[in-house]
Structures are given as structure tokens and as C-alpha cells.
Amino acid sequence: MEHISQIGTHIREKTAYPDILVISRIFQPQEAVIGEYIYNRCLQDPERVIVLTASCLGDRIFDKSQNFPVYRWPNFSFWTSTLLTKLVKPIFNIIGSVLLAIKLYFRYHYRYIEWCHGYDFPALLLLSYILPIRFFIYLHGNDLVSNLRNPLWRSLFKLTLKRAEGIVCNSSYIRDILRKNFRLDTPTHVINPVVRPEKFGTPTSPSHLDDLRIRLRQAYNIPETAILILSVGRLVQHKSFDRIIDNIPLLLTIGIDVHYIICGTGPCEQQLKSQAQRLRVDKRVHFAGHVPERELASYYVACDIFSMLTLWEDKDKSIDNFGMVYLEAEYFGKPIIASRLGSILDAVHHEQNGLLVNPNSGYAVLQAFKRLCQDKQLREKLGRQGQEFAKRKTYHRWLYNPESRYSCLLN
């Protein structure tokens, strides 16, 4: 990490002419969907970007290994989830990002800012008046809806969007929510996340992947011939892991040798374990706990079907970020069974790389599992097509080349 106190020092030669300041309060090495999305964006144009973000555990070693400069404002370890912290922390992020962005302007004279989420947007609005720059703003889900609740905040957010050079949504669903709430002339684009294979830290040769599959199945005492279903996510109510567990005894009844692994932790863990015991499938439902990103490859490789039956969070009026786990499973050639809703529709296409179902229809869910469990050729077909889809490329640099935007962006 290069501290802001070093502003007067020389510009690093490997980024001699950076002209884009990328600002995000969430960034690698912190494990988060938004942080991964922004890091992938920076890797596309390392010679053009400067990153300004909040500090996090392990950032010094990480920052030194990057091909672009990274600056961080302090992110105090004593932040808690209290109401006072929820009020103070955004103010701290706004002040810190504005002051450091201004200092960095006098060092690099960058021409653009990419504000990589809707959070703390007043800082961006202020910078757009202070500095002679143009800017893009990114939207992911909750960062959009959180700015719709307060009328004053909503009007300021709309002004920010109007002043933007462009708005980047991480899915078609987020774009549609934006259009439903605001009438804007600002160009709006969809750039989906992409998979970064390096995050898994494992070779991808067929022999190595086969070895990972065998070892993980042996660790959980799962026969090679058994069908293994996998889910990855925080164990919360709206993720509906319970609905998949409900289907395990039904699949066993019709003669399918099936196991289910859940990777993740959360408040519903004990409830889900009790459910598995009550249904007498606790030997078939395996709780892996938190699995670091670098170890997830073994789980993706070992499974036959990846499934998440996410529900709407109506009472909280919140939106899940783009489901990277779907793309990651597809990258390893796995067919998907998922809910037909929201941003999932950008990652899973029905009958092409998976099956989309109504998660509230027990019959539809069971039929989808039964169909994929019993049809190996269909699993392989959907998995193969999903792998091709997950390996596609999207280029943020085309935001700056209007003639090429149609090639990668949905306008």
C-alpha cells in the first residue's frame, strides 16, 4: 500500500500515464462480490487506473503485488454494527475519499473517476463540482435501493446520476430497477461480472481437477457414482437451503443416490442441521462451514449440480448482488438449478446452462432435480454450454470508446 503521505514522491513507472481514478470502499484482498468485480475491472487496464479504497486486513502485501497504484484511507478495526457506527462510517468514507481524491488529482491529473458503487455518492457529487473530471457510477443492488428510501437522498442521487458520463449496472435487472425509479438521459450500460480463475489458486488440467474431485468426495465419504448437489452462500432464510434439503429424501425415495454439500455459515445453520436430522438425511447433508475462495475449486469440481433457490427479500426491500457463485460453478462446467428471478437471469439461461424454477413450487423444484439427476447427458450439455458462457469477456475500457460499446454492452 502506498500511503497518502507519499503524494509528493515520484510516480511509479509502471503506471506512468494513469487517467482513471477508481474509487470503491470495498476492494481486494477483502472477499466480497463488489470487491472482486472492481478488481477484475482494474486488471483490464492496469496502466490507466489508480485505485482509492478503504484499508483492510492484508492490504499492504496485496497492494505491493499489483501493477497499478493503490491508495487507502483508514478503515478502523473497531467499527461495529451499532447505530452510531452506521451513521459515522459513511461520513468518514465520504470525507476520506474526497480529500484523498483531490490530493491524487494534483499528482496524476486524472481525467475520469469510476465510482464503483452507489454507496457514499455525495462524495462523488462534490468531486464532480470541484475537479475538472468526468465520471461513471456503478450500481450493484442494495447500493441502489438504499438511496431510494429518503426523499432528499433520492433527489441528490438523481442529480449525481444526471451528471454522470455513464451508469454501469452489473445486471439487466439492476438496470430495469434504475429505469423504473428514474427517468434519465444518462447512457446506461450493463456489464456483468466475469470469473477470475486465479482466485482459486489451482491448476486447471483435467488430471488435477479429477484428483480434487476424488479427494473431496473421499473427505465427505461420498461415492464417486453418487449425485452431489452443491450450494455456496451465507446461511440466511431467503437463500432457501431448506428447500433443497426437503428434496433430498424425495430423491432418495425414487432411487437416486444423492448427497448435498452446503458451503457457508450464518444464523440459519443450526436450524438447517436440525431439519436434516428430522428428515433423517443428516448423513447425506454435509455442512462445510466457511470455505476460503482458494479452496472452493475442489467443491465446484466435485459436485454434479449447483443449486441456489433464492427468494425475494420483500420485508427488507433489499437485493442480492450479482450471484458470482453461479458463474463460478459454470466455469467448472456444472449445470445450475436456480430461481427464476432478479440478477440470476443474467447468469443462468433456462435450458442453456441450467434450469430456472419457481422456488415456491415444490413440484417444479423436485422435477428439475429429478430431471438433472437422472439425465447425465443433459448435465454434461448444460455444463459445457455454461462453461463457454462463463469464460466470456466484458471490457470496461469500451465505456471510453463509443463506437465499440455495442460489442459488449447492453444499452
Side-chain angles (χ1 to χ4, degrees), residues 112-132:
Y112 302 95
I113 289 178
E114 291 186 17
W115 193 267
C116 294
H117 44 61
Y119 300 121
D120 311 324
F121 73 88
L124 175 62
L125 182 60
L126 182 59
L127 287 169
S128 72
Y129 284 104
I130 295 175
L131 300 176

Side-chain angles (χ1 to χ4, degrees), residues 143-182:
D143 57 337
L144 168 59
V145 298
S146 65
N147 292 320
L148 303 178
R149 296 164 186 160
N150 182 289
L152 175 60
W153 217 241
R154 181 189 179 104
S155 62
L156 289 174
F157 187 55
K158 183 176 182 178
L159 175 61
T160 305
L161 297 176
K162 283 185 173 182
R163 289 180 59 82
E165 184 79 4
I167 303 167
V168 179
C169 300
N170 74 350
S171 72
S172 304
Y173 175 63
I174 301 303
R175 178 198 58 191
D176 294 343
I177 292 179
L178 178 69
R179 290 178 174 175
K180 180 180 178 181
N181 285 277
F182 298 106

Side-chain angles (χ1 to χ4, degrees), residues 109-356:
H109 299 286
Y110 54 81
R111 295 185 295 159
Y112 302 95
I113 289 178
E114 291 186 17
W115 193 267
C116 294
H117 44 61
Y119 300 121
D120 311 324
F121 73 88
L124 175 62
L125 182 60
L126 182 59
L127 287 169
S128 72
Y129 284 104
I130 295 175
L131 300 176
I133 52 90
R134 291 181 286 176
F135 69 88
F136 295 88
I137 184 169
Y138 289 65
L139 300 173
H140 304 268
N142 284 334
D143 57 337
L144 168 59
V145 298
S146 65
N147 292 320
L148 303 178
R149 296 164 186 160
N150 182 289
L152 175 60
W153 217 241
R154 181 189 179 104
S155 62
L156 289 174
F157 187 55
K158 183 176 182 178
L159 175 61
T160 305
L161 297 176
K162 283 185 173 182
R163 289 180 59 82
E165 184 79 4
I167 303 167
V168 179
C169 300
N170 74 350
S171 72
S172 304
Y173 175 63
I174 301 303
R175 178 198 58 191
D176 294 343
I177 292 179
L178 178 69
R179 290 178 174 175
K180 180 180 178 181
N181 285 277
F182 298 106
R183 296 183 64 180
L184 301 166
D185 294 326
T186 309
T188 303
H189 317 286
V190 174
I191 305 182
N192 293 144
V194 295
V195 177
R196 179 171 58 90
E198 295 79 12
K199 69 182 286 186
F200 300 111
T202 184
T204 56
S205 64
S207 60
H208 181 75
L209 295 180
D210 286 342
D211 183 55
L212 289 179
R213 174 186 173 92
I214 292 171
R215 280 191 289 165
L216 188 126
R217 283 180 170 248
Q218 288 176 344
Y220 288 93
N221 197 27
I222 299 174
E224 182 61 29
T225 56
I227 297 295
L228 175 56
I229 301 169
L230 175 68
S231 296
V232 178
R234 181 164 165 75
L235 306 190
V236 291
Q237 196 70 39
H238 76 276
K239 297 288 188 180
S240 297
F241 299 102
D242 58 318
R243 298 180 185 232
I244 301 178
I245 294 176
D246 281 339
N247 279 273
I248 301 303
L250 300 177
L251 294 171
L252 291 170
T253 300
I254 59 177
I256 298 174
D257 185 10
V258 62
H259 286 253
Y260 178 36
I261 293 182
I262 304 174
C263 296
T265 60
C268 291
E269 183 171 350
Q270 191 54 52
Q271 175 186 333
L272 294 171
K273 288 180 177 179
S274 298
Q275 178 189 4
Q277 291 174 349
R278 186 175 66 255
L279 295 175
R280 298 182 179 179
V281 292
D282 49 306
K283 302 296 184 184
R284 300 271 180 166
V285 179
H286 313 274
F287 293 85
H290 172 71
V291 178
E293 287 183 341
R294 295 180 69 85
E295 298 176 17
L296 271 177
S298 298
Y299 289 84
Y300 287 129
V301 169
C303 78
D304 299 289
I305 300 168
F306 183 86
S307 181
M308 299 285 288
L309 300 177
T310 305
L311 300 174
W312 293 112
E313 286 189 277
D314 289 334
K315 66 176 182 178
D316 297 324
K317 294 184 178 180
S318 62
I319 301 172
D320 272 350
N321 290 324
F322 191 96
M324 277 301 299
V325 290
Y326 301 102
L327 287 181
E328 290 171 359
E330 290 167 10
Y331 180 85
F332 286 97
K334 305 304 174 179
I336 314 295
I337 296 177
S339 302
R340 190 190 301 271
L341 56 83
S343 298
I344 297 171
L345 301 181
D346 276 18
V348 183
H349 300 163
H350 188 58
E351 299 286 353
Q352 295 182 35
N353 54 10
L355 302 178
L356 293 171

Side-chain angles (χ1 to χ4, degrees), residues 346-370:
D346 276 18
V348 183
H349 300 163
H350 188 58
E351 299 286 353
Q352 295 182 35
N353 54 10
L355 302 178
L356 293 171
V357 298
N358 175 359
N360 292 310
S361 171
Y363 177 78
V365 172
L366 176 60
Q367 289 303 114
F369 277 117
K370 178 181 176 182

